[in-house]
Amino acid sequence: LPEPTIAAAPGAAPGAVFESDFLRACFRRPVTRTPVWIMRQAGRYLPEYRALRERHDFLTCCRTPELACEITLQPVRRLGVDAAILFSDILLPLPGMGVEVAFEPAPRLARAVRSAADVDALRVADARETQPFVQEAVRLLRCELKVPLIGFAGAPFTVASYLIEGGGSRTFSATKQLLFSEPALAHWLLVKCADTVASSLVEQVRAGAQAAMLFDTWSGVLAPEEYREFALPYARRVLEAVGRARAVPRIYYAGESAGHLEVCAGVGAEVIGLDWRQDIGEARRRLGPALAVQGNLDPAELLGPPDRIRRRVAEILGGARGPDGRALGHVFNLGHGVLPDTKPEHAQLLVDAVHELSAGRP
Ligand code: 1CP
């Protein structure tokens, strides 16, 4: 039978790889086998990445288009994944807002943003001026890649939490204190983050990224009502801006979202990324038939034995099938980023298992 193809949607990125299983799955079209890629697939667990990082620091890698391009390609060459994700970081737009970031390797910001004067001083960054190297890396990659390229950004709440904390956090107490004590100031900060992040993501898709992913990694620390007030509207604002620019699939990853998944369904994405703390079949039922899902193997499973990895892959593939037994709209992935101590052979095993176990079972 001829492969089903999807006509290029109006406004689609030029030359979009519409015949790819990854893009078809995002749009809930039939696939030849379940597509798979790995969150944080380019990075610390790969020896070829470590070799490059011995010669160049992390920010130089992100800001040099040739290096970012090479690192993006490394896992695609090695693993045969169905999509590439640009090598960059969710905090790269911050210097454009006026806050420098150091990676040690955990991010540390030059200052925390807590007062009205701090928020007032932040600029809304135009990514064409502040991150031209990102758009250049996207253009280089489009010449090299045979699989679709995912552009990404941090969702406004997640980015704002780094600004408020001045780095990573375990409790997010400064963030919550600001949200609860000065909600108007928090909203003002979130608007600035949303417009900066939107510019970053829109310019990536304009440069040629064929999908756009928004990482709301930390929004799960909020109670459902606060998620609805401080995270969802701003993520939606970014995804709507992307939708106006190009008809690319939009993937929204919300960490620890099991408590408010129905709310996430309204974010304006085609695909919802799931963490591993929820059952994928149940998550699909809660999200409804219109959305595709991405996920959701526990990254720590890759530290375990090969036969167990294969079994868990089979279970997730089975769970993701609809009541009619069809595997429409599933992009296989981990439930969060690959852990640095993962053996590359186990990442390979995952990719091969997904392809093998899903082949010929549309
Ligand atoms: O030493 C090094 O090489 C730096 C480590 C590193 C790397 C490889 C950081 C610092 N960022 C990255 C790259 C990165 N970050 C990518 C590139 C693509 C890929 O690796 O495949 C992506 C998609 C991200 C996204 C990112 N950065 C997120 C969202 C996704 C997620 O995993 O939740 C978050 C929360 C960050 C912040 C960040 N940057 C770096 C670190 C160590 C962290 C997390 C720190 C924390 O816990 O707060």
Side-chain angles (χ1 to χ4, degrees):
L1 283 177
E3 287 260 322
T5 50
I6 296 168
V17 193
F18 275 94
E19 60 288 354
S20 87
D21 277 332
F22 168 73
L23 291 173
R24 282 197 301 234
C26 290
F27 288 122
R28 298 182 51 89
R29 302 297 177 101
V31 291
T32 54
R33 55 188 191 180
T34 301
V36 53
W37 67 279
I38 299 175
M39 282 203 274
R40 309 291 293 270
Q41 64 191 8
R44 286 178 294 180
Y45 71 110
L46 289 183
E48 54 269 40
Y49 171 75
R50 291 208 195 104
L52 255 176
R53 281 278 281 102
E54 271 170 31
R55 285 183 284 133
H56 311 279
D57 66 44
F58 175 67
L59 273 174
T60 304
C61 291
C62 292
R63 287 173 172 160
T64 311
E66 292 74 17
L67 289 173
C69 177
E70 170 57 24
I71 298 169
T72 302
L73 292 171
Q74 285 174 346
V76 180
R77 284 194 204 108
R78 178 193 268 266
L79 303 172
V81 283
D82 295 286
I85 183 155
L86 181 68
F87 187 79
S88 183
D89 193 81
I90 62 164
L91 301 177
L92 280 220
L94 296 196
M97 299 180 82
V99 180
E100 292 301 322
V101 188
F103 291 89
E104 303 174 338
R108 197 167 53 78
L109 278 55
R111 59 194 169 86
V113 172
R114 303 212 176 148
S115 68
D118 293 340
V119 176
D120 196 28
L122 290 177
R123 292 187 292 273
V124 171
D126 180 335
R128 286 169 301 186
E129 285 158 23
T130 59
Q131 296 186 277
F133 47 85
V134 171
Q135 296 125 49
E136 185 54 26
V138 169
R139 284 188 284 269
L140 288 179
L141 278 160
R142 282 301 305 273
C143 301
E144 299 290 327
L145 279 168
K146 293 190 175 57
V147 294
L149 175 65
I150 304 168
F152 75 92
F157 171 77
T158 289
V159 170
S161 78
Y162 280 97
L163 282 168
I164 299 165
E165 303 286 340
S169 174
R170 268 189 319 189
T171 57
F172 295 88
S173 49
T175 303
K176 291 184 180 184
Q177 189 181 353
L178 185 82
L179 261 47
F180 303 160
S181 321
E182 295 185 78
L185 183 58
H187 283 293
W188 186 18
L189 170 60
L190 285 160
V191 168
K192 287 190 163 187
C193 289
D195 291 349
T196 299
V197 162
S199 171
S200 171
L201 203 47
V202 163
E203 293 309 328
Q204 290 175 60
V205 300
R206 283 197 179 131
Q210 292 130 311
M213 178 148 173
L214 201 56
F215 284 98
D216 218 347
T217 303
W218 306 126
S219 60
V221 303
L222 296 174
E225 199 41 50
E226 280 64 46
Y227 175 84
R228 228 182 243 116
E229 178 176 352
F230 295 107
L232 185 84
Y234 299 99
R236 191 191 290 131
R237 184 174 170 122
V238 175
L239 293 173
E240 280 171 356
V242 172
R244 282 193 297 273
R246 290 279 195 277
V248 295
R250 293 162 291 184
I251 309 169
Y252 177 70
Y253 173 81
E256 304 208 32
S257 58
H260 51 262
L261 202 57
E262 289 82 359
V263 188
C264 295
V267 78
E270 280 68 37
V271 187
I272 301 294
L274 302 169
D275 68 77
W276 71 90
R277 298 166 188 87
Q278 48 197 326
D279 177 81
I280 194 165
E282 192 190 321
R284 291 203 77 148
R285 283 188 290 282
R286 289 174 64 193
L287 287 167
L291 290 168
V293 292
Q294 176 173 282
N296 71 341
L297 184 71
D298 183 345
E301 290 282 3
L302 294 187
L303 307 176
D307 54 334
R308 185 183 158 103
I309 298 173
R310 242 182 112 80
R311 190 181 81 230
R312 291 294 293 122
V313 165
E315 283 165 8
I316 288 171
L317 286 170
R321 288 175 179 277
D324 55 357
R326 300 186 77 195
L328 284 187
H330 180 211
V331 174
F332 203 104
N333 208 317
L334 301 178
H336 199 176
V338 61
L339 297 167
D341 42 351
T342 301
K343 290 189 195 132
E345 306 87 84
H346 282 198
Q348 185 70 67
L349 204 141
L350 168 76
V351 172
D352 294 346
V354 173
H355 283 159
E356 226 180 282
L357 297 169
S358 65
R361 300 191 60 207

